[in-house]
Amino acid sequence: MPYNVQNFTYDGPGDSLCYGRQDDHNHQQANQFTIDVTAYLQAQGCTHIHAGPFRSNQPEPANGKEFRWNGANWVRV
């Protein structure tokens, strides 16, 4: 199963590798991934968040924060 994968860096210092299962090739879902993960990190108190390159069709990462598409948004698992 392919995954969307993106690394985010933020003040702390810190970084988070985030990923979510790619059910189909949907540009809106892909764009929403960055928006929703950024909002999640902000809610966790992270500041100065920088989203790295978005990569689709990747293998499941061994580590990281997993998100799931709920039909409207990506939510942390």
Side-chain angles (χ1 to χ4, degrees):
M1 184 70 57
Y3 284 80
N4 296 321
V5 178
Q6 191 168 20
N7 194 60
F8 292 79
T9 58
Y10 39 85
D11 281 359
D15 67 279
S16 293
L17 180 67
C18 300
Y19 65 98
R21 192 172 77 202
Q22 180 184 345
D23 292 329
D24 54 31
H25 192 75
N26 182 315
H27 289 281
Q28 185 171 342
Q29 275 185 18
N31 291 336
Q32 194 66 37
F33 186 82
T34 302
I35 293 166
D36 291 342
V37 173
T38 299
Y40 166 81
L41 292 171
Q42 287 173 332
Q44 301 304 305
C46 300
T47 58
H48 301 103
I49 299 165
H50 173 74
F54 177 87
R55 295 172 290 153
S56 62
N57 205 29
Q58 300 295 305
E60 182 177 8
N63 301 313
K65 292 178 169 61
E66 184 177 4
F67 289 77
R68 182 170 296 139
W69 181 251
N70 70 5
N73 295 95
W74 292 93
V75 294
R76 177 78 161 96
V77 173

